[in-house]
Amino acid sequence: MNEKDILSEQSKLTPADLTRQLRQHLDSLRAAGVYWLPAEPPQAGGGSDGAVPIANASGPSPADDREQRRHELTVLAERVSGCQRCTELVVSRSRTVFGVGPLDAELCFVGEAPGATEDQRGEPFVGEAGQLLNRIIAACGMKREDVYICNICKCRPPGNRQPTAQEAGNCREYLERQLELVRPKFICALGACAAQNLLGTSQSIGKLRGRFHDYKGIPVLCTYHPAFLLPGRSPHKKRDVWEDMKKLLARMGRPVPGR
Ligand code: URA
Ligand code: URA
């Protein structure tokens, strides 16, 4: 489908279509923790799509104060939920999947992109891979509610293909701002796509894993993606992931449970 098709498609939207789109938009926001919206539209003066710049390049750092950051994360999630940058993903997604977790989470997991379950629910890592991620988090002595979880790409690519470089690039601004606002102390990149995109490298996950890298001063531990560990794939690699997580816990100054 090319842009012209999509535009003529849009013009054929019925009131019922618009209602459905609005409901999906609001679902995406609620899943991202957005419970209220400003009564007035944000100031104009953004990019060519009429969007407002997420960060103000001049003036005091907008991420200084916690309430301000909470508000800006809300605005960012709202902007992402209406994003039209990737023509293919705009039509294939049910909703955007922004991220979940507390501000100032000590640890942030970054995955690749939503799958089918996440696309339905609007929350990252809630499908099969997510269940395994939950067990990994629990094995580390942490709670899912205490960590922040997001993805490189906020929309589900059709057929669970990897996000293209262009799609990841389109989403980069959102990810960077999200991390700037959440301010995790540590990041765990899950799988090759997340690790390579976050760090801007083409090294294999086998080479990247088990070591600390740097993202804007934040230590980044790379490990295998939980989907890679599922039955039928490479469950024997769970041992490697556990070794990686123990390194992360040591660096975080946390005990290894069961020791
Ligand atoms: N895989 C990912 O990379 N992210 C999700 O949110 C779910 C599955
Ligand atoms: N390939 C990936 O993309 N991720 C993994 O974790 C393992 C293999």
Side-chain angles (χ1 to χ4, degrees):
M1 198 184 256
N2 61 33
E3 194 174 340
K4 201 157 142 260
D5 293 334
I6 289 162
L7 288 177
S8 66
E9 194 84 351
Q10 295 244 333
S11 63
K12 280 186 291 195
L13 289 176
T14 64
D17 291 332
L18 288 169
T19 305
R20 182 177 46 81
Q21 283 197 359
L22 178 62
R23 184 167 294 130
Q24 287 180 359
H25 180 77
L26 294 173
D27 283 347
S28 296
L29 291 176
R30 199 174 310 119
V34 178
Y35 297 109
W36 58 271
L37 294 173
E40 297 205 1
Q43 290 170 290
S48 57
D49 58 354
V52 177
I54 292 168
N56 193 340
S58 61
S61 163
D64 268 350
D65 143 85
R66 220 177 130 82
E67 276 316 305
Q68 179 71 15
R69 282 189 286 139
R70 197 187 306 283
H71 172 73
E72 289 196 28
L73 202 61
T74 297
V75 173
L76 180 64
E78 189 196 347
R79 179 166 171 205
V80 166
S81 74
C83 181
Q84 306 281 318
R85 287 180 183 178
C86 303
T87 41
E88 193 181 359
L89 303 188
V90 166
V91 291
S92 71
R93 75 184 180 211
S94 308
R95 55 184 56 71
T96 56
V97 178
F98 182 68
V100 66
L103 222 55
D104 297 308
E106 200 182 353
L107 175 62
C108 173
F109 287 94
V110 179
E112 176 177 324
T117 317
E118 290 78 19
D119 176 74
Q120 282 307 306
R121 299 255 304 268
E123 185 175 329
F125 284 99
V126 290
E128 238 190 313
Q131 305 298 312
L132 181 48
L133 178 62
N134 290 349
R135 293 201 292 279
I136 293 169
I137 293 169
C140 291
M142 293 184 267
K143 296 201 190 88
R144 179 178 166 109
E145 311 86 80
D146 295 337
V147 301
Y148 197 85
I149 308 177
C150 63
N151 285 305
I152 293 289
C153 180
K154 311 305 188 200
C155 296
R156 181 194 180 208
N160 288 346
R161 66 160 171 76
Q162 278 207 0
T164 64
Q166 175 157 23
E167 288 161 353
N170 284 344
C171 236
R172 179 81 187 186
E173 179 193 4
Y174 302 140
L175 176 70
E176 289 193 357
R177 188 65 180 143
Q178 185 171 37
L179 293 173
E180 189 182 350
L181 292 166
V182 173
R183 281 195 201 164
K185 306 285 181 297
F186 299 89
I187 294 174
C188 180
L190 299 169
C193 174
Q196 291 170 351
N197 273 290
L198 188 69
L199 302 171
T201 175
S202 54
Q203 276 211 321
S204 71
I205 186 65
K207 292 234 172 68
L208 293 168
R209 65 160 281 267
R211 298 189 285 128
F212 286 92
H213 306 263
D214 175 84
Y215 170 82
K216 300 187 180 187
I218 305 171
V220 179
L221 187 277
C222 300
T223 194
Y224 292 120
H225 193 288
F228 180 63
L229 309 174
L230 290 173
R233 298 206 52 199
S234 303
H236 62 282
K237 296 285 190 188
K238 282 181 190 170
R239 186 182 296 273
D240 289 342
V241 171
W242 183 233
E243 291 305 314
D244 298 342
M245 298 315 290
K246 283 194 287 192
K247 283 185 191 162
L248 179 59
L249 290 172
R251 180 77 174 253
M252 292 173 78
R254 296 182 67 99
V256 177
R259 290 289 167 95

